[in-house]
Amino acid sequence: MTVKELIDQNLAEVVNAGEELDRKITKVFCCDLLSIAMGRAPAGCVWVTVMANINTLAVASLADAACIVLAEGARLDENAAKKAEDQGITVLASERPIFDLALSVHDLLMKEEREKEGKP
């Protein structure tokens, strides 16, 4: 699944559509501690978090995340939103809990895997 295909699922609203919408998503990562996310977020992940600040964008860039999904009503402030736009980072946002969002993305990724293998 690509970032664009994730956006098309309407799981969350688009805060900023970044430059790599055709980027392949590798997995889902949930974490609200930036220091842990910096070292453990896998490249190409959908990072689901409530940390909605400029530092989150820096960590997403360092970790090479495919996109950020802000959960539980978290929103970027104006400065962070501008930075996401300037850096071409895709950011989505939702009122849904972190677990629910992550599970929904995981389910979509697993469905795609099953379809590739020809399984229902």
Side-chain angles (χ1 to χ4, degrees):
M1 176 171 48
T2 65
V3 173
K4 172 73 168 102
E5 290 168 338
L6 175 63
I7 289 170
D8 291 345
Q9 294 295 317
N10 295 315
L11 296 176
E13 69 181 81
V14 177
V15 175
N16 185 65
E19 297 171 355
E20 297 185 274
L21 297 180
D22 60 344
R23 177 123 187 238
K24 186 84 172 149
I25 294 169
T26 58
K27 60 180 13 182
V28 183
F29 179 75
C30 300
C31 186
D32 291 326
L33 291 173
L34 298 178
S35 59
I36 291 176
M38 192 180 319
R40 295 188 184 172
C45 71
V46 173
W47 179 15
V48 185
T49 183
V50 297
M51 296 298 296
N53 60 50
I54 202 158
N55 294 327
T56 304
L57 300 171
V59 170
S61 181
L62 285 171
D64 198 24
C67 66
I68 300 168
V69 181
L70 300 173
E72 310 213 19
R75 296 291 187 262
L76 295 176
D77 64 27
E78 187 176 323
N79 187 35
K82 175 75 169 112
K83 189 73 164 179
E85 183 179 340
D86 291 346
Q87 293 188 343
I89 298 171
T90 299
V91 180
L92 310 176
S94 173
E95 297 293 324
R96 294 175 61 193
I98 291 173
F99 179 82
D100 291 352
L101 282 169
L103 185 59
S104 293
V105 175
H106 174 76
D107 287 348
L108 290 169
L109 290 171
M110 292 301 98
K111 178 181 177 190
E112 181 180 66
E113 285 298 314
R114 286 189 307 272
E115 288 172 356
K116 281 183 184 176
E117 294 173 358
K119 298 177 181 175

